[in-house]
Amino acid sequence: MMIFPWTISNFSTFIPLDSLPSLENHFRQLIVTVDENGNPPTVGKGERNPCDESNLNLTPIVINQNNSEVGSNWGKTSAERPILWVYIPYTREQLSRAKLSVRTQNEEEIIYEERLSLNTLGKTPGLVPLSLEESENTLEMGQWYRWYLFLDVYCTEEADRLQQDSISAWVQRSENVSGDRLYDHLAEIAAIEDPQTRKNAWIEILRELGYDAIADGISTPEN
């Protein structure tokens, strides 16, 4: 078993995983019901994969412990343009369109919104990085942002069976070196050169965050 040099509450402290407190509250996914323009009027919880109720859900890889500022489903970063990570349960053939949107905390301003090329998503089902590198805007220090991934998916080959699925999570750029920089640590895991070490690291962090079902059968991203 690998020992990660950080915990959910303080990534800079060296504490063995065996001594960590149990994360009893597993991930509660945010699914957004969008209108025809892709705008999320409300956020609901507990929705299922529209193509297969027995399958895994579209899932942001984030911390689900409660944060007094934004609630659950969040993470911090030191990067101006962080990499956001999601688990996409759909096959490439099922995916029709994908759009990433990043908005200010009050959602009055969209700082980034782009349709994603399906060719850049990598192997799905699996873990997928979402990059903000093309954005002219950067995350301001200390500010919370809400990010959304919107997907159009075909559950069958029939064109009239187009479904919409989406998720929402939070990101904050922080200068605090011990401030729960989950997005930075996910990027570090993705950069591990040895494939088996990298896979083990993904499984470890997914289990620590409470994503046991994803860890049990993930396709890990390549470098």
Side-chain angles (χ1 to χ4, degrees):
M1 176 178 290
M2 298 185 63
I3 300 298
F4 281 95
W6 40 269
T7 72
I8 295 302
S9 60
N10 185 339
F11 287 111
S12 66
T13 303
F14 286 72
I15 299 179
L17 283 178
D18 291 344
S19 67
L20 293 176
S22 175
L23 295 181
E24 296 180 357
N25 295 323
H26 279 209
F27 169 71
R28 296 179 67 186
Q29 157 185 358
L30 291 180
I31 291 292
V32 183
T33 303
V34 296
D35 61 24
E36 61 183 5
N37 296 316
N39 298 313
T42 59
V43 176
K45 296 182 179 180
E47 299 291 339
R48 299 293 300 172
N49 180 332
C51 291
D52 185 352
E53 291 188 358
S54 65
N55 207 346
L56 292 169
N57 297 332
L58 179 64
T59 304
I61 306 304
V62 287
I63 298 170
N64 67 1
Q65 291 177 324
N66 187 62
N67 180 296
S68 61
E69 296 180 271
V70 294
S72 61
N73 296 338
W74 58 277
K76 296 185 180 182
T77 181
S78 62
E80 295 181 339
R81 299 180 182 88
I83 302 296
L84 311 172
W85 287 88
V86 300
Y87 176 81
I88 294 181
Y90 306 106
T91 65
R92 180 58 56 83
E93 292 73 24
Q94 289 176 313
L95 292 173
S96 173
R97 292 186 299 179
K99 183 171 72 173
L100 176 63
S101 180
V102 181
R103 309 174 184 194
T104 53
Q105 185 173 2
N106 57 15
E107 305 214 19
E108 291 182 353
E109 180 182 358
I110 296 175
I111 70 163
Y112 179 86
E113 188 163 274
E114 292 290 339
R115 292 198 179 277
L116 305 177
S117 169
L118 298 182
N119 293 328
T120 66
L121 292 182
K123 182 180 179 181
T124 61
L127 291 170
V128 173
L130 306 177
S131 175
L132 303 181
E133 288 300 317
E134 301 300 321
S135 174
E136 296 181 359
N137 298 317
T138 59
L139 302 190
E140 296 183 12
M141 194 69 71
Q143 300 299 311
W144 284 103
Y145 298 87
R146 192 168 206 167
W147 61 271
Y148 297 88
L149 177 64
F150 302 98
L151 296 180
D152 287 343
V153 296
Y154 289 103
C155 297
T156 70
E157 295 180 355
E158 301 175 16
D160 61 350
R161 291 295 304 277
L162 182 67
Q163 304 285 326
Q164 291 183 321
D165 198 358
S166 53
I167 50 174
S168 167
W170 295 94
V171 58
Q172 182 192 58
R173 185 179 170 207
S174 171
E175 59 185 358
N176 184 353
V177 295
S178 61
D180 302 323
R181 290 182 178 177
L182 175 65
Y183 294 104
D184 294 359
H185 287 280
L186 296 180
E188 292 171 1
I189 290 173
I192 295 174
E193 293 186 0
D194 179 68
Q196 189 59 51
T197 302
R198 186 172 64 249
K199 181 175 182 179
N200 291 342
W202 275 113
I203 292 173
E204 246 351 272
I205 183 58
L206 289 170
R207 291 194 183 282
E208 186 177 342
L209 291 169
Y211 304 118
D212 292 355
I214 295 176
D216 286 341
I218 60 169
S219 297
T220 56
E222 300 296 328
N223 276 354

